[in-house]
Amino acid sequence: MTPDEKDEFKRRQNARNWVVGGTLLFFAVLFYAITVARIGG
Amino acid sequence: MTASTTTLMPTEWRDFFALTKPRVMTLVVFTAICGLLAAPGSIHPVLGFTAVLAIAMGAGGSAVLNQWWEADLDAGMKRTKDRPLPGGRMRRDDARDFGMFLSGTSLVLMGVAIGWLAAALLLAAIIYYAVIYTMWLKPRTPQNIVIGGGAGAFPPLIGWVAVTGELTAMPILLFAIIFMWTPPHFWALALFVKTDYANVGIPMMPVVRGERHTRHQILAYTVLLAPIAIAPWLIGGTSWVYGSVAVVLSLMFFALAWPVGLRTRAETDPMKQEILLFKFSIAYLFVLFAALVADRVLFAHGVIGGGYFA
């Protein structure tokens, strides 16, 4: 892999990690909210 | 960049997102929200959001599975050759796993948060699109889109059931509207992209039965769609607000389908009427469902009565 390709590899990996992390966080909050809504209902 | 390094590169997250067909998703989300809002009763906003999210994830998952299965066909069509799989930006197995994961997660989310009837309907929608339509009907029969249209008809039905927890005539009518709307909508598109389908051997109506037959079918389905679109008013499920919009839209659809249905075109014809019909068909569905929601909201606030002309 050339240095440019290595940089691109890192950039894509980082971007994916952020998206996966954000998605997991979103679902953690969503399930908390669903639990509150269902208990309240 | 060489081919070998391309395969080593992690796929961009945007390509995973593109695989879910976000543009198709807007119509799915819109009709699901309409089903949710038009249903009698109420749902907690968080649960309503979750239901729509689960429907969108299910639709996205089945779209991913569709592209996983059709990657070779997509490579042969101008309209689809730049998608992530034929474009070589993603491994095929990754697409399959992503589609399965998205579909599975959507079902669990719907079942746990909303109810298992809605989850069962979502499962039916996913199987309908990814298996019955994509794997079975599409490569075999020119009637593929007629039966396959059922897949796109599920979202308002599921949205409705998420609120009420039961299947009644109204959500089935909403299903039937999209079911009958799909053939004229899709065949109008197929008329001006038929070379693409012919190149990859998909038996779309214009390719197999010819343009003339397809045009007649477009007109026939437009006529059949009208009474179904007006039916929610006729059975007393909505008031004149929805009824009048449905009548006007049906007349407009018919007025645009008439010239498309009966004309024969020259080889160099720019297909303006077909493109116009295709674009109108999208607007038709948006406006019809928006009218349904407006009608039910006005009724809920006591602005209009429940009768035919009240």
Side-chain angles (χ1 to χ4, degrees), chain A residues 5 9 11-12 16 19 38, chain B residues 1 9-12 112-113:
Chain A
E5 285 174 345
F9 190 98
R11 188 194 65 74
R12 288 187 184 195
R16 274 172 57 157
V19 172
R38 288 202 69 119
Chain B
M1 209 176 287
M9 280 286 170
T11 306
E12 292 259 21
V112 170

Side-chain angles (χ1 to χ4, degrees), chain B residues 222-241:
Chain B
T222 305
V223 172
L224 291 171
L225 171 63
I228 294 170
I230 300 164
W233 177 41
L234 298 179
I235 66 165
T238 68
S239 77
W240 60 271
V241 172

Side-chain angles (χ1 to χ4, degrees), chain A residues 5 8-9 11-12 15-16 19 26-27 30-31 33-34 37-38, chain B residues 1 5 8-13 44 46 49-50 53 109 112-113:
Chain A
E5 285 174 345
E8 176 64 10
F9 190 98
R11 188 194 65 74
R12 288 187 184 195
R16 274 172 57 157
V19 172
F26 167 77
F27 273 100
L30 181 67
F31 270 88
I34 289 170
R38 288 202 69 119
Chain B
M1 209 176 287
T5 55
L8 279 173
M9 280 286 170
T11 306
E12 292 259 21
W13 67 267
H44 192 288
V46 170
F49 170 79
T50 306
L53 178 69
L109 183 64
V112 170

Side-chain angles (χ1 to χ4, degrees), chain B residues 17-293:
Chain B
F17 183 65
L19 220 54
T20 62
K21 297 189 181 173
R23 276 170 64 189
V24 176
M25 193 96 81
T26 55
L27 201 62
V28 168
V29 167
F30 176 76
T31 53
I33 291 173
C34 289
L36 207 81
L37 293 176
S42 63
I43 186 169
H44 192 288
V46 170
L47 299 181
F49 170 79
T50 306
V52 174
L53 178 69
I55 293 169
M57 285 172 63
S62 53
V64 174
L65 292 173
N66 164 275
Q67 287 178 77
W68 159 67
W69 188 259
E70 293 186 341
D72 296 334
L73 297 178
D74 283 348
M77 294 201 286
K78 201 166 71 185
R79 190 171 61 88
T80 53
K81 69 179 170 51
D82 290 326
R83 284 177 174 174
L85 283 169
R89 302 193 300 279
M90 183 185 286
R91 286 176 48 223
R92 212 164 163 170
D93 289 355
D94 287 349
R96 179 201 60 202
D97 297 345
F98 179 53
M100 298 291 280
F101 176 75
L102 211 52
S103 303
T105 310
S106 72
L107 295 173
V108 173
L109 183 64
M110 185 68 98
V112 170
I114 309 300
W116 293 102
L117 176 60
L121 289 168
L122 186 58
L123 174 65
I126 292 168
I127 291 174
Y128 208 116
Y129 185 68
V131 180
I132 296 178
Y133 173 66
T134 302
M135 297 177 188
W136 184 36
L137 291 170
K138 194 173 174 183
R140 282 179 177 80
T141 164
Q143 292 296 328
N144 49 21
I145 203 65
V146 178
I147 307 156
F154 274 97
L157 176 78
I158 302 170
W160 187 291
V161 169
V163 176
T164 62
E166 60 179 1
L167 263 177
T168 51
M170 269 299 283
I172 291 170
L173 269 177
L174 300 186
F175 177 95
I177 288 170
I178 301 185
F179 186 82
M180 296 304 278
W181 165 88
T182 307
H185 161 75
F186 196 84
W187 282 332
L189 169 75
L191 279 176
F192 56 86
V193 294
K194 75 171 179 179
T195 337
D196 259 5
Y197 287 120
N199 288 342
V200 293
I202 290 290
M204 282 299 166
M205 186 72 81
V207 178
V208 179
R209 303 292 300 273
E211 204 176 300
R212 191 179 161 81
H213 183 80
T214 307
R215 289 173 181 279
H216 291 166
Q217 292 278 311
I218 287 175
L219 195 55
Y221 275 96
T222 305
V223 172
L224 291 171
L225 171 63
I228 294 170
I230 300 164
W233 177 41
L234 298 179
I235 66 165
T238 68
S239 77
W240 60 271
V241 172
Y242 169 85
S244 52
V245 172
V247 169
V248 170
L249 284 174
S250 298
L251 288 172
M252 288 171 73
F253 207 150
F254 182 73
L256 290 171
W258 180 262
V260 171
L262 297 181
R263 83 192 188 100
T264 42
R265 67 174 185 99
E267 209 47 51
T268 54
D269 193 300
M271 294 274 210
K272 277 186 183 162
Q273 282 157 310
E274 289 74 9
I275 293 170
L276 182 64
L277 178 66
F278 174 71
K279 286 181 176 169
F280 173 79
S281 67
I282 297 170
Y284 169 92
L285 207 64
F286 270 107
V287 177
L288 192 73
F289 275 80
L292 175 73
V293 172

